[in-house]
Amino acid sequence: MSEISYQTLNNVGHIKFPVHNGAMDLQHCRQLFETIQSAKQDDSIKVIVLWGGPDFFCNGIDLNAVHLQYNSSILAYKNLKALNKIVHAVLTADTKLVISALQGSASAGGVMLAVAADLRYARSNVILTPSYANLGLCGSEYWSILLPAMIGYGNTQKLLYEACPVSPAEALHLGLIHQVICGEAPAFAENITAKAEYLASTNIDARLAAKSVLNQRLLAEMDSQVKLELEKMKDCCNHPEFESSRTHFVEKNSCRQSLFLCASPGNNCRINKSDCDE
Amino acid sequence: MTVMNKQLNLHAFKDREIVNKLAEEIQLISENMAPLKIMHICGGHENAIVRYGVRQFLPGHIQVIAGPGCPVCICPVEAIDQAVTLSLQPKVTVLTFGDMLRVPATTTSLEKVRSDGGSVKVIYSPLDAVKFANEKPEQTFVFFSVGFETTAAGIAGLIQSGVPKNLLFLIANRYMPPVLKLLMEVHDESLQGFLLAGHATAISGLGVYDFMHDEFKLPCAAAGFEPVDILLAVRELLKQIKNSQHEVINCYPRVIREEGNLVAQKCLNEVFDLKPGVWRGIDVVEDSAYILKEKYAFLDAGKQLTCIPPYPPQAHHPSCLCHRIMLGEVEPQDCKLFKKACTPGKPFGPCMVSPEGTCHVRYTYPEIKIDFS
């Protein structure tokens, strides 16, 4: 599949996955996993940048493909596990620093893939929807370990239960992303590439040593935690709520709009100049 | 291989003393083992396990769960819908085994359609189909065939030996090994061994399951259908699990040869191709559907007659959990319909129809309590 590419330059590995609508089917997941694994083993690089696609970073599993399958529950579950493997590959990249460069929006598992990276930068037009509940799912991709560690227990509750989209400003405030970068796509790409190359060439071993200390607890807990997630997800995949939400999403294709409409007044979707770096 | 004894005394395979001894050995082997799940993939095994109360001889932490081993249950609803459609055509009679009559299809069943004027006859052997066809040359007969390797081999042999021109086939037979890959995916790493179906393995041999060893590092044991057969296979699996071994072993040597039945395999290979096929409610399983080879297309009812029903298929009633029961994900008692709306007299799903269906077995045989004191 030509949609997923890997290029290296100046000690940095660039992984692009501009899949249609950001929806990762089983094949995409397998290919992205293998690409990340290759990058992890590539001694010529020190930093990996996950670029996603220009319109969407990643929107999790491909619900259209799932819906067309004879037994949607099984494919959904397989697809979730395949996405889990990618997130796991990112989380265990202990000899590389991983950067998420969000040129476009992300939702569900796509958000978790983004936040699994060590550093997360987004364009100012990016909306994150780290909610699964709108699709009748409780979530996987290590959210139960990543989100509480990253944004705190209370914020995780709000994010998961309200299942509302998050503006770049709020994502920055919460700590889901580290920096919002304004400007057009080429400028964003240039900015991220320069950061990545700088990190890769300057005291990278010290940064990786810090990463290994910081991630130690998370890595120790993640196997048992993901088992719990998958157990619940299997039930969700077989639940009528998932089927009706999925049908609504696929047939009306309006789920994304409805997700955006549910933004609560507290969600500040406007980026202030101070939030934004040129 | 053990030489088969022509005067084999099958009572020995139900012998209480041997059963108790095996139960003790299983207890001993599994003493310090973590809880584990073994799956069997044969309706005959579930029937024997429940009927003889075999589960009560196992320690609480050793679970033997039922998989998709009932041929009637996994028969795709699309095929039954086709059989129903065929039975309503003039001068066409559908022939099938008795178990298939009451299996719910999308809108009806073969039994109901028969009472509504459809032409459906029960046969007991593939040879009956030939007999019917010879007796009424002006009528077209369609043999609706379901089952695994064992039944498929019989059909292949029949086709190779030549059949009357007015006998066609609607083949819904399935090949078992590929479904194990799906089960591994569905159950993640929670399964630690498989009991293989004795009769299907007698045809295919053990080698076709080598991928379980190579790919999944999981032991398999082909087992017979008496309590001693099953406990023996469980004991051997536990030994392997304990020693981190993962071989495919033959615990039914009085029937199974390592290489299987070579004559039957030759027949199967000459008559059928293996293509992706639906297992009712479960999924499409790669290389698991027996399809008549092109040279036998003239016998294929699907190609020679119009049999596509004018409605879309529905594998299960929305509340029915048969597909998850067949995957070993839930138990019959987890289904709201079990023993209430769904009974053998009025089955909602396929698992309540055949004596090899998990729901039917659990309904028929009340839980046996054995007083070990």
Side-chain angles (χ1 to χ4, degrees):
Chain A
M1 226 172 295
S2 58
E3 285 165 305
I4 295 171
S5 66
Y6 174 57
Q7 286 173 326
T8 60
L9 188 67
N10 300 333
N11 300 326
V12 177
H14 299 268
I15 300 177
K16 296 181 178 172
F17 38 105
V19 299
H20 182 63
N21 282 337
M24 303 280 289
D25 67 20
L26 217 46
Q27 283 297 101
H28 294 131
C29 287
R30 284 176 187 153
Q31 209 199 350
L32 181 56
F33 172 74
E34 280 161 22
T35 308
I36 293 172
Q37 289 296 86
S38 309
K40 281 167 72 175
Q41 285 154 18
D42 186 345
D43 293 333
S44 73
I45 62 157
K46 294 291 179 190
V47 173
I48 298 170
V49 184
L50 303 175
W51 288 96
D55 301 322
F56 297 101
F57 177 77
C58 175
N59 284 321
I61 66 171
D62 184 354
L63 290 171
N64 281 292
V66 163
H67 199 66
L68 291 172
Q69 182 70 3
Y70 179 80
N71 185 341
S72 301
S73 314
I74 288 186
L75 183 60
Y77 189 62
K78 277 187 195 173
N79 210 158
L80 289 165
K81 286 201 298 178
L83 202 51
N84 270 10
K85 268 180 86 172
I86 298 172
V87 177
H88 185 271
V90 171
L91 289 170
T92 53
D94 48 1
T95 60
K96 318 284 179 207
L97 215 55
V98 184
I99 295 175
S100 290
L102 286 92
Q103 309 169 83
S105 297
S107 62
V111 177
M112 294 313 141
L113 174 57
V115 301
D118 304 303
L119 289 165
R120 305 172 288 279
Y121 305 115
R123 285 187 67 201
S124 54
N125 59 326
V126 164
I127 300 286
L128 302 182
T129 314
S131 62
Y132 300 86
N134 294 327
L135 287 165
L137 298 172
C138 67
S140 188
E141 296 95 15
Y142 299 84
W143 71 263
S144 62
I145 189 159
L146 286 172
L147 292 181
M150 200 166 282
I151 63 172
Y153 187 78
N155 285 326
T156 304
Q157 286 173 310
K158 180 174 161 56
L159 228 53
L160 267 290
Y161 304 158
E162 287 191 352
C164 288
V166 177
S167 69
E170 197 185 4
L172 184 64
H173 174 71
L174 287 170
L176 283 172
I177 54 175
H178 292 115
Q179 194 178 350
V180 180
I181 297 173
C182 290
E184 295 302 310
F188 175 78
E190 215 171 284
N191 193 326
I192 299 294
T193 304
K195 275 182 195 293
E197 288 179 1
Y198 170 76
L199 292 169
S201 60
T202 318
N203 298 337
I204 184 67
D205 290 339
R207 297 179 211 281
L208 291 173
K211 171 178 174 169
S212 104
V213 176
L214 187 64
N215 284 1
Q216 204 166 38
R217 191 183 296 171
L218 183 137
L219 293 173
E221 289 173 8
M222 64 187 203
D223 284 351
S224 58
Q225 205 60 31
V226 81
K227 264 188 186 170
L228 271 179
E229 285 179 9
L230 283 174
E231 216 171 272
K232 294 287 175 201
M233 274 299 243
K234 188 180 264 185
D235 289 341
C236 288
C237 287
N238 283 290
H239 199 283
E241 275 184 6
F242 175 53
E243 193 183 342
S244 58
S245 307
R246 196 183 62 237
T247 305
H248 180 71
F249 178 89
V250 170
E251 288 177 2
K252 306 273 181 193
N253 204 19
S254 63
C255 193
R256 188 167 291 116
Q257 284 94 322
S258 71
L259 292 179
F260 284 83
L261 288 174
C262 83
S264 64
N267 282 348
N268 179 8
C269 289
R270 186 179 294 167
I271 285 284
N272 297 320
K273 197 74 180 164
S274 59
D275 295 326
C276 200
D277 296 320
E278 296 292 340
Chain B
M1 200 196 88
T2 309
V3 178
M4 276 175 57
N5 181 352
K6 285 180 183 171
Q7 299 298 316
L8 197 64
N9 176 11
L10 276 177
H11 290 297
F13 292 92
K14 294 187 182 83
D15 185 278
R16 181 62 186 259
E17 265 183 49
I18 301 174
V19 165
N20 282 341
K21 192 167 182 312
L22 282 167
E24 276 170 29
E25 286 176 17
I26 287 170
Q27 183 77 44
L28 211 63
I29 294 166
S30 65
E31 219 160 50
N32 297 317
M33 290 171 83
L36 61 86
K37 261 193 265 184
I38 292 166
M39 177 179 269
H40 71 71
I41 45 168
C42 180
H45 281 156
E46 184 59 19
N47 188 303
I49 286 170
V50 176
R51 191 153 42 106
Y52 296 116
V54 171
R55 286 195 175 93
Q56 296 198 42
F57 290 92
L58 301 175
H61 63 298
I62 308 296
Q63 261 186 292
V64 177
I65 62 169
C70 161
V72 171
C73 309
I74 60 104
C75 174
V77 77
E78 291 85 344
I80 312 175
D81 287 345
Q82 287 182 352
V84 164
T85 309
L86 286 168
S87 76
L88 291 168
Q89 290 182 18
K91 292 196 169 184
V92 175
T93 297
V94 170
L95 307 170
T96 193
F97 297 124
D99 281 355
M100 286 311 297
L101 279 194
R102 297 178 54 250
V103 181
T106 299
T107 60
T108 181
S109 66
L110 285 168
E111 187 180 54
K112 280 183 199 152
V113 85
R114 184 171 65 175
S115 63
D116 292 342
S119 183
V120 181
K121 279 187 192 298
V122 172
I123 55 172
Y124 298 94
S125 144
L127 293 174
D128 289 346
V130 176
K131 190 173 145 243
F132 276 122
N134 280 331
E135 281 171 4
K136 285 192 177 176
E138 72 288 359
Q139 183 86 359
T140 299
F141 289 88
V142 176
F143 181 10
F144 177 29
S145 173
V146 303
F148 295 112
E149 287 87 319
T150 328
T151 327
I155 302 296
L158 183 70
I159 287 173
Q160 277 204 315
S161 65
V163 294
K165 281 181 183 167
N166 59 331
L167 178 59
L168 303 177
F169 293 84
L170 180 61
I171 303 288
N173 294 79
R174 292 291 178 265
Y175 176 59
M176 197 148 248
V179 84
L180 269 67
K181 289 188 183 182
L182 177 78
L183 293 166
M184 291 303 291
E185 183 86 49
V186 169
H187 284 270
D188 304 322
E189 292 159 13
S190 66
L191 295 177
Q192 277 156 296
F194 278 99
L195 286 178
L196 303 177
H199 293 152
T201 316
I203 300 293
S204 66
L206 301 177
V208 293
Y209 292 97
D210 279 349
F211 67 92
M212 291 304 296
H213 167 280
D214 301 337
E215 209 175 312
F216 298 106
K217 313 284 179 221
L218 218 71
C220 296
F225 300 90
E226 303 296 338
V228 168
D229 290 320
I230 294 166
L231 287 169
L232 187 79
V234 170
R235 184 192 70 182
E236 293 308 306
L237 277 179
L238 290 174
K239 274 188 196 170
Q240 288 212 54
I241 295 165
K242 193 167 191 174
N243 298 324
S244 303
Q245 293 171 323
H246 24 77
E247 302 301 320
V248 181
I249 51 170
N250 184 3
C251 296
Y252 195 24
R254 67 183 186 278
V255 171
I256 300 172
R257 276 178 292 188
E258 185 83 19
E259 70 281 12
N261 184 327
L262 298 177
V263 177
Q265 287 168 24
K266 190 163 177 274
C267 270
L268 284 167
N269 292 336
E270 283 174 5
V271 173
F272 294 117
D273 285 323
L274 286 170
K275 302 275 182 193
V278 166
W279 290 51
R280 184 171 183 162
I282 295 177
D283 212 349
V284 177
V285 180
E286 288 298 315
D287 300 331
S288 71
Y290 286 106
I291 305 289
L292 285 168
K293 277 187 188 287
E294 202 47 46
K295 64 179 173 181
Y296 292 111
F298 65 96
L299 293 174
D300 190 337
K303 289 181 177 162
Q304 302 306 322
L305 302 170
T306 308
C307 61
I308 304 299
Y311 45 81
Q314 187 189 358
H316 291 292
H317 181 277
S319 302
C320 171
L321 292 185
C322 275
H323 56 304
R324 297 197 72 196
I325 291 167
M326 284 189 262
L327 284 169
E329 289 187 312
V330 296
E331 293 284 321
Q333 55 270 26
D334 296 324
C335 178
K336 287 176 197 161
L337 304 174
F338 180 64
K339 284 189 176 178
K340 296 180 182 100
C342 183
T343 62
K346 195 186 171 196
F348 268 70
C351 296
M352 189 52 98
V353 179
S354 163
E356 295 195 350
T358 305
C359 297
H360 187 281
V361 173
R362 303 284 177 89
Y363 183 95
T364 307
Y365 301 105
E367 203 181 337
I368 301 169
K369 292 280 179 209
I370 298 169
D371 181 6
F372 289 98
S373 63

